[in-house]
């Protein structure tokens, strides 16, 4: 009976989700990105995961999502088999994992980034404890990012706070395809007040899974130009972040969101994930920007929901605009009030 066995090691983390401004789309080798990406970590959308290690048990992995046994355990078992090449102790234990999200399942927020981020942080902490290493060092976060990447690419960007870069670029020598790195210095103050209103157009399950989506880039007619575009957009966005250039920021962010969807629309098979209400929201956001000169813009993941990005100082005007003009295009007037966050947090109970 696993229920009565005392655990030998335990770890618990809260890890936020993140939203990409320059999009990761397309993979090479094992979970390495075809192009670099740049994201920021959210504050309110997070996963909390605890991992208990036991010496005995009926199953290799018992996984509970919000208290109930869940089939996601099978994906985790595969993942653990894979990462045991880096963490040999994984083979010696049985795992009991409890996980929950701060956002409803139906919210349409991709939870793989926060779930694999939280799990990878637990595994890293356990690894450091088992091998007697000091946890609070750059190597700790790098390992957590690398382990997260193996579960879900975008998850490697969730283990840091603020703005995060993943993938080789000409910007920094230390940029890697293996793990992400935080942009800890030099980002203009204005961007620390970045807010994200997630406007829920459709909370249904994704029409195209991200693994299928990424594969569409393997033979894509525009593959080379998309890779070149992402590099150029990373350079431009980084410059905008350093200088506080809001106009450039807005231009790059919207270009990236629409390029991601352009890639999906022109792949074989082709996917059209934007809904009429997504387009309505996009044009209203642009019109609001033109009319008021308030710096707002949108980004979009591989789905129909629209992330409206704005800055703290404009919060009252933008919230009134959302209420007045945008909620009517959202499913059940649903939206999530979020913004840039400080990154993961170790939990004690
Ligand atoms: C459109 O990280 O979900 O959100 O590595 O297969 O788990 P896997 O893919 P995933 O892809 C995210 C794609 C994206 C853009 C991004 O987050 O950069």
């Amino acid at each position: 009976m696993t229920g009565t066995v005392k655990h030998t090691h335990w770890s618990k983390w809260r890890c936020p989700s993140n939203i990409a401004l320059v999009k990761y789309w397309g993979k090479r080798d094992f979970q390495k990105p075809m192009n670099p990406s740049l994201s920021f970590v959210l504050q309110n959308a997070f996963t909390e995961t605890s991992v208990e290690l036991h010496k005995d048990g009926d199953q290799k992995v018992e996984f509970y999502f919000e208290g109930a046994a869940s089939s996601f355990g099978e994906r985790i078992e595969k993942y653990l088999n894979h990462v045991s090449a880096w963490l040999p102790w994984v083979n010696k234990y049985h795992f009991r994992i409890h996980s929950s999200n701060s956002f409803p399942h139906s919210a349409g927020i991709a939870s793989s980034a926060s779930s694999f981020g939280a799990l990878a942080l637990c595994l890293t902490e356990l690894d450091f404890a088992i091998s007697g290493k000091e946890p609070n060092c750059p190597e700790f976060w790098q390992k957590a990012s690398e382990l997260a990447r193996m579960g879900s690419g975008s998850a490697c960007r969730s283990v840091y706070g603020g703005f995060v870069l993943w993938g080789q670029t000409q910007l920094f020598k230390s940029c890697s395809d293996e793990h992400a790195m935080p942009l800890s210095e030099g980002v203009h103050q204005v961007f620390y007040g970045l807010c994200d209103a997630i406007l829920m157009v459709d909370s249904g399950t994704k029409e195209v899974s991200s693994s299928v989506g990424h594969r569409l880039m393997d033979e894509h007619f525009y593959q080379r130009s998309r890779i070149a575009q992402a590099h150029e957009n990373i350079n431009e966005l980084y410059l905008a972040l350093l200088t506080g250039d809001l106009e450039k920021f807005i231009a790059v962010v919207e270009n990236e969101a629409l390029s991601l969807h352009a890639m999906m629309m022109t792949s074989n098979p082709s996917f059209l994930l934007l809904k009429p209400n997504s387009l309505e929201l996009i044009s209203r956001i642009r019109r609001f920007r033109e009319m008021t000169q308030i710096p707002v813009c949108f980004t979009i993941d591989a789905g129909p929901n629209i992330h409206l990005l704005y800055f703290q100082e404009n919060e009252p005007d933008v919230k009134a605009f959302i209420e007045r003009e945008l909620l009517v295009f959202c499913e059940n007037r649903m939206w999530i009030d979020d913004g840039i966050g400080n990154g993961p947090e170790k939990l004690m109970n």
Side-chain angles (χ1 to χ4, degrees), residues 18-20 22-25 27 31 37 75 110 112 149 151-155 157 166 206 210-211 214 260 300-302:
N18 71 79
I19 175 80
V22 174
K23 307 291 181 182
Y24 148 52
W25 200 236
K27 303 187 197 197
Q31 287 287 100
S37 56
R75 180 160 169 199
S112 68
R149 188 202 94 226
S152 174
S154 56
R157 299 184 312 232
W166 171 39
K206 291 208 271 184
S210 53
S211 43
H214 288 289
L260 170 71
I300 325 169
D301 265 347

Side-chain angles (χ1 to χ4, degrees), residues 28 102 313:
R28 39 175 211 85
S102 64
E313 64 190 60

Side-chain angles (χ1 to χ4, degrees), residues 121-192:
L121 284 157
C122 292
L123 293 177
T124 310
E125 189 187 0
L126 293 167
D127 183 55
F128 273 54
I130 288 168
S131 53
K133 284 190 274 180
E134 186 52 51
N136 211 352
C137 60
E139 191 201 334
F140 177 92
W141 301 102
Q142 199 164 300
K143 181 140 195 171
S145 179
E146 197 167 343
L147 289 172
R149 188 202 94 226
M150 292 178 202
S152 174
S154 56
C156 77
R157 299 184 312 232
S158 271
V159 307
Y160 295 107
F163 293 93
V164 182
L165 196 54
W166 171 39
Q168 282 180 18
T169 75
Q170 293 147 344
L171 282 178
F172 301 97
K173 270 213 178 72
S174 46
C175 271
S176 165
D177 288 344
E178 315 265 338
H179 55 82
M181 61 172 269
L183 287 183
S184 43
E185 273 167 34
V187 172
H188 194 282
Q189 203 49 41
V190 65
F191 293 109
Y192 288 102

Side-chain angles (χ1 to χ4, degrees), residues 21 191 194 237 240-241 245-253 297:
L21 299 173
F191 293 109
L194 193 54
L237 184 63
L241 290 176
D245 186 339
L246 298 185
E247 217 170 293
K248 196 194 281 283
F249 175 86
I250 288 170
V252 174
V253 168
C297 64

